[in-house]
Amino acid sequence: MKAGALALLLVLVAGLFPTATLAAAPHAVAATAVAATPGIPAIAVQGPGGGQTYTVTIQLLVLMTAITLLPAALLVMTAFPRIVIVLAILRQAIGAGQAPPNQVLIGLALFLTMFVMSPVIDRIRSEAATPYMAGSIDAMTALDRGVGPLKTFMLAQTRESDIANFNRISGGKGYASPKDVPLAVLAPAFMTSELKTAFQIGFLLFIPFVIIDLVVASVLMSMGMMMLSPTLISLPFKLMLFVLVDGWALVMGSLAASFYH
C-alpha cells in the first residue's frame, strides 16, 4: 500500500517535471552548460586545479516546490478530510477535552484513508506506475492514467450541484460526461461535498450525546443542584454509552462504508 502511494507520487512528479536535472559543469565551460540547460548558479567551488560552478535548473526548483505542495494536494483529493473532520466532531461531542489527542486522531484518519483509498492506489499502480517504471509508457501517458482512477473516486463522492456551481463560477458551458470535468473544477467541488458530508455525519453523531447532556441537566435542576456542572456528571455516562455500543468500531466502519455507497 505504501509502495502504491509512493508510485502515485512518482508518477505525478515525473509527469509534471520529466526532465528535471542537476547540472554540474567546469568553470571554463559554465556559460555553455548554462546555455544548454537554463539554470541558476548555485555553488562555485575553487581548487588548486581550477574550479567548478554548479547550477540548479529552474525545473528542479519548481520540482522541489511542487514536492512540498503535493502531499497537501493529495490529502484534500482523498478520503482524509471527511474522516478527520468527523473524528474531531466526535471528540468534541463526547466532551473529553483532548482525549484522544490530535496526533492519535490524525494517525487514525491517515490509516483509515489508506484503507479506503487502497483500491484507487492499486489501480494507479497497475495502470500507470508499473508500466511507467517498466518503460512501456511515457510520463504524460502515465500521468493521464494515474489521474483517471483518482477522478473516478472524486466524482463518486461529489454532488452534481457542487460541480455545477463551480462550473458556473468558472464560466464553463457544461461537460458531455463526468469524465470531462477538469481537476480545476472537480477538486473544489469535491472538497465542498466532503465538508458537507462530514458535517452531516457529525450532526448525527452529536445527537445522542446532546440528549444525555439534556437529561443530566434536567435531573440536576430537578434536584436543586444547579451549581454542579452538568458536563461533569454527563461525561462518565457518555463514555460508558460509547464503550457499551462499541462506538469506535461503529464510527470507523461507518466512515469507511460511506465511501462505497
Side-chain angles (χ1 to χ4, degrees), residues 97-112:
Q98 291 298 316
N102 291 331
Q103 294 86 343
V104 175
L105 287 185
I106 294 175
L108 285 174
L110 284 174
F111 278 98
L112 190 57

Side-chain angles (χ1 to χ4, degrees), residues 39-235:
I40 301 175
I43 302 175
V45 180
Q46 298 294 333
Q52 285 184 332
T53 299
Y54 294 87
T55 64
V56 179
T57 64
I58 297 177
Q59 284 182 326
L60 182 59
L61 291 178
V62 176
L63 171 64
M64 299 304 295
T65 304
I67 288 177
T68 62
L69 299 177
L70 199 55
L74 291 178
L75 285 179
V76 300
M77 295 167 65
T78 62
F80 182 80
R82 181 192 303 185
I83 296 172
V84 74
I85 290 173
V86 170
L87 293 180
I89 293 177
L90 174 62
R91 181 178 65 180
Q92 186 175 358
I94 295 175
Q98 291 298 316
N102 291 331
Q103 294 86 343
V104 175
L105 287 185
I106 294 175
L108 285 174
L110 284 174
F111 278 98
L112 190 57
T113 300
M114 294 172 63
F115 172 78
V116 172
M117 299 297 297
S118 58
V120 180
I121 294 174
D122 290 339
R123 283 191 57 194
I124 294 174
R125 179 174 53 194
S126 61
E127 297 177 8
T130 301
Y132 174 72
M133 292 179 179
S136 58
I137 59 176
D138 58 12
M140 294 308 299
T141 303
L143 179 63
D144 292 337
R145 291 186 181 180
V147 171
L150 192 60
K151 287 184 64 176
T152 302
F153 170 80
M154 295 170 65
L155 285 169
Q157 309 301 325
T158 307
R159 294 173 174 85
E160 293 183 3
S161 59
D162 293 326
I163 296 178
N165 183 35
F166 282 96
N167 177 57
R168 177 182 54 81
I169 294 173
S170 64
K173 297 182 180 180
Y175 309 100
S177 65
K179 294 182 179 180
D180 296 330
V181 180
L183 280 177
V185 174
L186 180 58
F190 171 75
M191 278 300 301
T192 303
S193 293
E194 286 296 282
L195 290 174
K196 188 183 300 183
T197 303
F199 276 88
Q200 288 175 347
I201 297 175
F203 170 76
L204 295 177
L205 288 175
F206 230 108
I207 291 177
F209 301 105
V210 171
I211 293 176
I212 293 177
D213 286 333
L214 291 175
V215 171
V216 171
S218 300
V219 171
L220 290 178
M221 289 185 64
S222 64
M223 296 176 62
M225 303 174 64
M226 292 177 291
M227 299 301 295
L228 185 62
S229 174
T231 58
L232 182 63
I233 304 301
S234 64
L235 178 59

